[in-house]
Amino acid sequence: MDLSPSLQSAVSISICGGSDCTNARGSYRGVVQDLGKVLFILGCVLVVAGAILWKTGGLGGLGQLPGDIFVRKGNSTFYFPVVTCIIISVVLSLLSWFFRR
């Protein structure tokens, strides 16, 4: 079956077998292994950060700032940390701006 050159470049045929997994653009195995390592390290960092926050009681006053909405009526409670969300958003925006430079 003959394919036109433009169709050949658009179609990527994968060939996987044994320890080699390649397609028309190169090797997938290295990319998948690197992604696995990154996800594993990220998971370990999250577990450690969660354990630290759990043992120390949280982030101090973060989540109990003036401007955070807290309503308790009878047996029900509503809590929405408006100011905390704004502060976290600003910090994450500054960090992403800093790392993009």
Side-chain angles (χ1 to χ4, degrees):
M1 176 171 149
D2 280 337
L3 297 175
S4 67
S6 62
L7 188 58
Q8 284 178 348
S9 65
V11 174
S12 175
I13 301 172
S14 294
I15 303 169
C16 289
S19 64
D20 187 31
C21 184
T22 61
N23 73 349
R25 295 184 185 189
S27 175
Y28 286 131
R29 186 161 305 280
V31 174
V32 172
Q33 286 177 346
D34 290 342
L35 179 63
K37 289 177 186 177
V38 168
L39 289 175
F40 179 76
I41 291 170
L42 183 64
C44 290
V45 168
L46 287 175
V47 166
V48 169
I52 290 171
L53 290 175
W54 179 47
K55 288 295 184 183
T56 61
L59 297 173
L62 197 62
Q64 301 170 354
L65 298 173
D68 289 346
I69 299 171
F70 182 79
V71 179
R72 180 178 291 156
K73 288 188 179 181
N75 292 338
S76 60
T77 303
F78 175 75
Y79 175 70
F80 185 70
V82 177
V83 176
T84 300
C85 290
I86 292 171
I87 289 174
I88 290 172
S89 175
V90 168
V91 168
L92 291 176
S93 295
L94 288 174
L95 285 173
S96 68
W97 174 79
F98 178 73
F99 284 114
R100 275 189 270 152
R101 294 189 89 216

